Amino acid sequence: MIGVAGGLGGVGAIVAVLFQRGKFKADAADTLTDAALTLVQPLRARLVELEREMVESRTEMASAQRTIAQLSARVCELQALVERWRDAVNDPEATLRKVRTIVSRSYRPPP
């Protein structure tokens, strides 16, 4: 009888440990989930910040590209103007009056 009672007590202890293992696993899973969320939240915030910075950078880049295109067009215009002036100066029949006339008709100061 004592042996049976002792055996039943051992089985009861084993059953209790098995039930406790399930609780320990659940507690461990909760702890890991909380830890993961604690680590992920700052990363999510940083990701949102980086995405905002990326949008701002793209906007600035587009503006810079428009400015570069405008400046390139202006440089081309000025190169053509200088070429016309050079041709006028190098013309064998060039006179000071002709060159001044060509320059005064073709040059418009920038706004």
Side-chain angles (χ1 to χ4, degrees):
M1 183 77 133
I2 293 177
V4 172
L8 289 177
V11 170
I14 291 173
V15 169
V17 167
L18 290 176
F19 282 121
Q20 286 294 335
R21 270 184 70 190
K23 184 177 185 287
F24 289 142
K25 284 183 181 180
D27 289 344
D30 287 343
T31 302
L32 289 173
T33 300
D34 290 343
L37 288 175
T38 301
L39 294 173
V40 168
Q41 289 300 347
L43 293 175
R44 283 184 180 163
R46 180 66 177 142
L47 180 62
V48 167
E49 180 182 343
L50 290 173
E51 286 174 343
R52 182 184 48 77
E53 289 177 9
M54 181 181 64
V55 168
E56 288 176 6
S57 295
R58 285 183 176 166
T59 301
E60 289 175 10
M61 184 178 65
S63 175
Q65 287 174 332
R66 283 190 300 275
T67 301
I68 289 169
Q70 291 169 350
L71 291 173
S72 294
R74 185 68 178 143
V75 165
C76 288
E77 290 172 12
L78 292 173
Q79 282 177 325
L81 179 64
V82 168
E83 288 294 325
R84 284 195 303 273
W85 289 357
R86 185 182 316 162
D87 291 343
V89 169
N90 291 329
D91 185 357
E93 298 178 17
T95 63
L96 186 56
R97 172 172 267 158
K98 282 184 177 180
V99 172
R100 282 184 179 165
T101 302
I102 289 171
V103 168
S104 67
R105 287 181 183 169
S106 63
Y107 181 68
R108 289 168 301 203

